């Protein structure tokens, strides 16, 4: 399938205006090609269209989609925030000069040494996945006498119409605290009472390659209602909310895809209205695109040696 950054000029395919024949002459094949302009333009679509005058918005690149020093350098220049899920990804982010305050540390199996690395480098936000992790984090912060901003990952039990290996919020998912857990409210109360973590709000991520906007609407409706219920039950003000990533991109001509320029303004409008209706003191709303930011910018060039 020809992507929007590809065109035929004569008998030569061009990607981002560069002839692949020329690239082959210079670098030979196989060759990984990344179109920097397309990555930057897509990031700008996210930044321009997911924007509100009622609260701050945060576009957080999920670096597991593709990361190396060069791409993370672009992330830094564009002013995006960055998700990391391991000590290795955190190391690379710091090496690339990303402001530690713009780094969000995710994952459902954070090791003690990785939490220490996050604390020592004063990263901006930890997304707590489970109570064992919370207890370890609190203990470590106590030793360092530091306070850390956190979000709590909630599994809303929303099942998307995608392959089950990329669904992350069905009831038996390994990610986050399950909405049906009857201890959930008391867990949240415990986190709020901790002197070392500052629970700003909640996070959810429903999976990858979601091409129907209605699933994100359902997710935001759920998470904002949940935030309202928790603030009423616990008498606490939550100010930060993150809806994760998963905005689908098409790989083949007939695949469904999500039109970001159309969907993001609808999404933000829905969120604004819902926050207004529930009268929540939300100051910051984030999303975490990975694949949808980088996927279309990447190609691999091969030479066909024979056809059978
Ligand atoms: C993988 C992941 C993302 C990004 O998902 P994409 O499908 O690449 O957009 C965002 N947030 C979390 C927590 C993830 O695990």
């Amino acid at each position: 399938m020809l992507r929007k950054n590809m065109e035929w000029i004569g008998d030569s395919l061009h990607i981002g205006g560069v002839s692949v024949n020329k690239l082959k002459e210079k670098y030979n094949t196989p060759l990984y090609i990344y179109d920097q302009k397309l990555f930057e333009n897509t990031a700008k679509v996210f930044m321009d269209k997911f924007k509100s005058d009622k609260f701050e918005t945060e576009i957080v690149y999920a670096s597991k989609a593709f990361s190396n020093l060069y791409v993370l350098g672009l992330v830094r220049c564009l002013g995006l925030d960055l998700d990391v899920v391991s000590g290795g990804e955190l190391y690379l982010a710091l090496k690339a000069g990303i402001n530690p305050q713009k780094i969000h540390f995710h994952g459902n199996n954070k090791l003690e040494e990785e939490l220490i690395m996050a604390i020592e480098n004063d990263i901006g936000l930890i997304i707590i996945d489970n109570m064992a992790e919370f207890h370890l984090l609190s203990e470590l912060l106590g030793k360092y006498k530091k306070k850390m901003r956190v979000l709590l990952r909630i599994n809303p039990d929303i099942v998307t119409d995608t392959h089950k290996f990329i669904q992350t919020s069905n009831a038996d998912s390994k990610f986050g605290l399950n909405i049906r857990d009857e201890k959930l409210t008391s867990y949240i109360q415990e986190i709020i009472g901790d002197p070392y973590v500052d629970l700003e709000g909640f996070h959810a991520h429903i999976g990858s390659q979601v091409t129907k906007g209605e699933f994100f609407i359902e997710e935001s409706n759920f998470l904002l209602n949940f935030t309202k219920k928790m603030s009423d039950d616990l008498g606490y003000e939550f100010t930060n909310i993150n809806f994760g990533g998963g905005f689908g991109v098409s790989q083949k001509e007939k695949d469904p895809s999500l039109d970001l320029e159309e969907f993001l303004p609808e999404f933000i409008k829905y969120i604004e209205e819902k926050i207004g209706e529930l009268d929540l003191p939300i100051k910051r709303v984030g999303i975490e695109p990975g694949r949808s930011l980088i996927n279309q910018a990447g190609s691999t060039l091969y030479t066909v040696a024979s056809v059978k």
Side-chain angles (χ1 to χ4, degrees):
M1 158 178 139
L2 270 197
R3 297 185 187 146
K4 60 181 177 193
N5 64 337
M6 297 178 178
E7 61 173 336
W8 283 98
I9 300 178
D11 60 355
S12 171
L13 179 67
H14 286 59
I15 300 179
V18 180
S19 152
V20 298
N21 295 347
K22 293 240 167 71
L23 289 172
K24 178 180 152 62
E25 270 167 37
K26 187 155 178 199
Y27 300 105
N28 217 334
T29 58
L31 179 68
Y32 292 115
I33 302 166
Y34 278 88
D35 180 346
Q36 175 173 341
K37 261 261 124 40
L38 184 58
F39 177 72
E40 290 169 341
N41 289 344
T42 312
K44 283 179 192 141
V45 169
F46 272 103
M47 291 190 284
D48 292 347
K49 304 287 172 181
F50 194 77
K51 202 179 193 171
S52 170
D53 51 18
K54 302 202 163 52
F55 43 77
E56 232 181 278
T57 51
E58 227 165 38
I59 307 299
V60 193
Y61 177 51
S63 71
K64 75 166 185 277
F66 178 58
S67 68
N68 60 25
L69 281 177
Y70 191 85
V71 167
L72 296 187
L74 297 178
V75 166
R76 189 192 64 219
C77 294
L78 288 160
L80 300 171
D81 284 49
L82 188 77
D83 270 0
V84 301
V85 294
S86 68
E89 286 187 0
L90 176 54
Y91 174 84
L92 200 63
L94 295 168
K95 262 276 197 266
I98 305 262
N99 174 356
Q101 282 300 310
K102 291 181 88 68
I103 299 177
H104 303 210
F105 190 16
H106 265 285
N108 63 346
N109 191 33
K110 301 182 188 76
L111 303 177
E112 181 168 344
E113 68 214 49
E114 293 173 324
L115 288 173
I116 289 174
M117 191 175 169
I119 294 168
E120 287 184 341
N121 287 288
D122 294 314
I123 71 151
L125 195 67
I126 290 190
I127 293 79
I128 294 179
D129 182 85
N130 58 72
M131 290 310 278
E133 177 190 314
F134 160 68
H135 291 131
L136 176 58
L137 176 65
S138 168
E139 186 192 318
L140 292 170
L141 286 166
K143 282 193 198 147
Y144 279 82
K145 305 228 175 328
K146 281 187 178 178
K147 203 164 167 151
M148 175 84 76
R149 294 165 49 221
V150 304
L151 295 180
L152 181 65
R153 180 161 177 174
I154 302 291
N155 172 2
D157 195 8
I158 292 171
V159 182
T160 54
D161 63 346
T162 52
H163 192 281
K164 69 176 189 301
F165 289 177
I166 53 171
Q167 293 172 351
T168 54
S169 70
N170 42 356
D172 62 353
S173 162
K174 65 186 175 185
F175 297 105
L177 290 178
N178 197 292
I179 188 62
R180 294 177 194 195
D181 191 328
E182 32 187 63
K183 297 215 189 86
L184 188 54
T185 310
S186 67
Y187 288 157
I188 293 168
Q189 188 158 33
E190 186 184 345
I191 299 173
I192 288 172
D194 188 277
Y196 298 107
V197 305
D198 178 9
L199 180 64
E200 291 192 342
F202 302 104
H203 173 280
H205 169 66
I206 54 174
S208 278
Q209 288 293 67
V210 179
T211 52
K212 288 197 185 119
E214 68 205 65
F215 288 113
F216 295 105
I217 300 290
E218 184 184 344
E219 180 203 15
S220 57
N221 180 51
F222 163 82
L223 205 56
L224 291 167
N225 282 333
F226 176 79
T227 303
K228 174 70 175 170
K229 175 153 194 333
M230 285 303 123
S231 61
D232 287 351
D233 288 359
L234 300 169
Y236 189 80
E237 291 201 340
F238 298 101
T239 57
N240 189 352
I241 202 116
N242 191 303
F243 299 116
F247 309 101
V249 280
S250 55
Q251 308 295 331
K252 289 185 256 125
E253 211 90 58
K254 289 204 180 96
D255 285 352
S257 71
L258 190 65
D259 183 337
L260 293 170
E261 305 211 23
E262 196 176 285
F263 175 66
L264 292 173
E266 281 171 27
F267 191 26
I268 201 84
K269 183 157 173 282
Y270 181 82
I271 296 165
E272 283 175 345
E273 282 172 6
K274 187 79 194 171
I275 286 176
E277 184 190 308
L278 297 172
D279 197 21
L280 289 169
I282 298 290
K283 294 199 184 79
R284 189 176 294 181
V285 174
I287 48 173
E288 304 172 326
R291 206 189 289 243
S292 54
L293 260 175
I294 193 82
N295 175 283
Q296 300 288 303
S299 316
T300 318
L301 190 65
Y302 298 101
T303 302
V304 178
S306 53
V307 179
K308 291 210 256 186

